[in-house]
Amino acid sequence: MLKLAALALLAGLVATSAVLPSYAQVAKAPNRPNYPSSGPDHSCEDEMGHMRSVNAFDIQGIRDQKIFLYPICEDPTVPGKNNYGTLFIDGNVNTLREPIARNATLMNALTARGYDHNDVISLRFAGGNSIYLYVHQRDLN
């Protein structure tokens, strides 16, 4: 009888230990935001090298879409012009600033917020027929 009880207890422990890790995936974490770390290894321009490539034909096809601007690496507390030279090379519009300048939809969105075509770092097509422009104001006006 004692052996049977010990065996049943052991079987219960084995079953519980197999279920606990899967329960940990389902259990809710505390309700707090998940902010990415901004330690010394993180740089504000890290994401720019991972954008899908675009070409002049893509830019020419932009008309009347909703344009969202996202400033990147603009820190007015840093003295000087806050110039991130590689930021403009790492983006996906390095050679496409002239086609951007010829696109009225993009230029209207840029000038409304104090930017120009030379401030664009990357362009991303998003859901809902919208466009995300990642910008960095070179002179931080």
Side-chain angles (χ1 to χ4, degrees):
M1 182 75 177
L2 187 56
K3 288 181 184 181
L4 186 59
L7 186 58
L9 179 63
L10 184 60
L13 288 174
V14 169
T16 304
S17 66
V19 172
L20 284 178
S22 62
Y23 176 74
Q25 293 176 355
V26 177
K28 291 191 174 197
N31 193 11
R32 60 181 167 206
N34 182 14
Y35 295 117
S37 90
S38 59
D41 294 338
H42 178 73
S43 180
C44 62
E45 70 260 20
D46 284 347
E47 293 81 18
M48 294 301 102
H50 304 286
M51 296 282 178
R52 179 179 86 65
S53 63
V54 296
N55 59 44
F57 296 112
D58 293 332
I59 293 171
Q60 289 171 358
I62 297 172
R63 296 180 178 83
D64 302 328
Q65 283 101 327
K66 181 71 176 165
I67 310 295
F68 296 96
L69 271 64
Y70 288 99
I72 301 293
C73 301
E74 292 186 354
D75 187 0
T77 62
V78 175
K81 292 186 180 223
N82 201 1
N83 186 8
Y84 289 87
T86 60
L87 183 63
F88 293 96
I89 297 168
D90 291 341
N92 65 357
V93 297
N94 186 29
T95 60
L96 299 172
R97 291 190 179 89
E98 289 307 313
I100 290 172
R102 291 189 296 268
N103 186 295
T105 302
L106 295 175
M107 288 308 296
N108 288 339
L110 288 165
T111 56
R113 300 256 317 259
Y115 293 97
D116 66 23
H117 63 284
N118 289 312
D119 295 326
V120 179
I121 299 166
S122 285
L123 181 147
R124 182 168 63 102
F125 292 90
N129 201 25
S130 60
I131 308 291
Y132 292 176
L133 287 179
Y134 296 86
V135 295
H136 175 81
Q137 196 169 54
R138 296 172 321 279
D139 296 329
L140 291 179
N141 296 331

